[in-house]
Amino acid sequence: MKLYLVRHGETEGNLVHLYQGEDDSLSTKGRAQGEILAKRFQSIPLDLILSSRYKRAMETATMVAEAKKLPVQIEDLMVE
């Protein structure tokens, strides 16, 4: 079994070192990073995509999931 751990893309809060809550979204750069990540995973077989419930994490995971035609499963244990 291989396990890939990926951090969410950049948020505006990341740029100014702010503590972020559950509802912070990806920045423009963060969305571009998610698209690059999805392309990198095109040739890598995946069985499962897990994400925290945080919006920025779900946005990043969804980009990969859509490219892989897999659902994103929310895991409540994955929190800061």
Side-chain angles (χ1 to χ4, degrees), residues 4-20:
Y4 299 94
L5 298 176
V6 177
R7 188 173 188 270
H8 62 78
E10 178 189 84
T11 65
E12 296 298 330
N14 291 142
L15 295 173
V16 292
H17 307 288
L18 287 178
Y19 177 80
Q20 299 170 80

Side-chain angles (χ1 to χ4, degrees), residues 14-33:
N14 291 142
L15 295 173
V16 292
H17 307 288
L18 287 178
Y19 177 80
Q20 299 170 80
E22 291 184 30
D23 296 325
D24 293 289
S25 298
L26 296 176
S27 65
T28 301
K29 181 177 179 180
R31 285 187 292 280
Q33 290 169 332

Side-chain angles (χ1 to χ4, degrees), residues 24-71:
D24 293 289
S25 298
L26 296 176
S27 65
T28 301
K29 181 177 179 180
R31 285 187 292 280
Q33 290 169 332
E35 291 172 9
I36 291 167
L37 183 67
K39 287 178 185 175
R40 286 186 177 172
F41 274 102
Q42 280 180 338
S43 62
I44 299 172
L46 297 177
D47 297 319
L48 176 68
I49 298 176
L50 296 174
S51 175
S52 76
R53 67 179 177 272
Y54 289 19
K55 186 173 182 180
R56 59 192 175 271
M58 288 189 293
E59 288 174 324
T60 304
T62 298
M63 291 181 208
V64 176
E66 288 175 353
K68 300 301 287 184
K69 297 182 176 36
L70 289 170

